[in-house]
């Protein structure tokens, strides 16, 4: 017999199922658009970081050669 206040595994799964029913799931088109936006912004930021890194590397190399 379970102690008072202790939940069984079945109680925990039922509570978890109830929580998942409360979640407002986005539709497929919204998820697709947001995923595309995240990928595009990530690529742009990656390119920007690579360009800045290239300029800093060349600047440091120039200063070291002086």
């Amino acid at each position: 017999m379970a102690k008072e206040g202790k939940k069984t595994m079945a109680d925990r799964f039922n509570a978890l199922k109830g929580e998942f029913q409360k979640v407002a799931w986005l539709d497929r088109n919204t998820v697709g658009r947001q995923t595309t936006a995240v990928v595009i912004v990530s690529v742009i930021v990656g390119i920007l970081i690579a360009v800045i890194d290239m300029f800093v590397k060349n600047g440091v190399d120039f200063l070291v050669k002086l």
Side-chain angles (χ1 to χ4, degrees):
M1 191 170 182
K3 292 183 181 178
E4 189 175 321
K6 282 229 170 193
K7 291 186 176 183
T8 64
M9 191 62 88
D11 290 337
R12 291 179 190 219
F13 278 115
N14 285 335
L16 183 63
K17 183 179 176 183
E19 289 298 320
F20 270 111
Q21 290 174 349
K22 294 178 188 176
V23 175
W25 299 102
L26 298 175
D27 62 308
R28 187 178 186 98
N29 290 334
T30 303
V31 172
R33 282 185 284 139
Q34 289 181 354
T35 302
T36 303
V38 167
V39 170
I40 290 171
V41 169
S42 297
V43 168
I44 291 171
V45 169
I47 291 171
L48 184 63
I49 289 172
V51 168
I52 291 170
D53 181 57
M54 182 183 65
F55 281 123
V56 169
K57 180 182 173 287
N58 288 336
V60 169
D61 286 344
F62 176 75
L63 290 174
V64 168
K65 289 180 182 178
L66 287 181

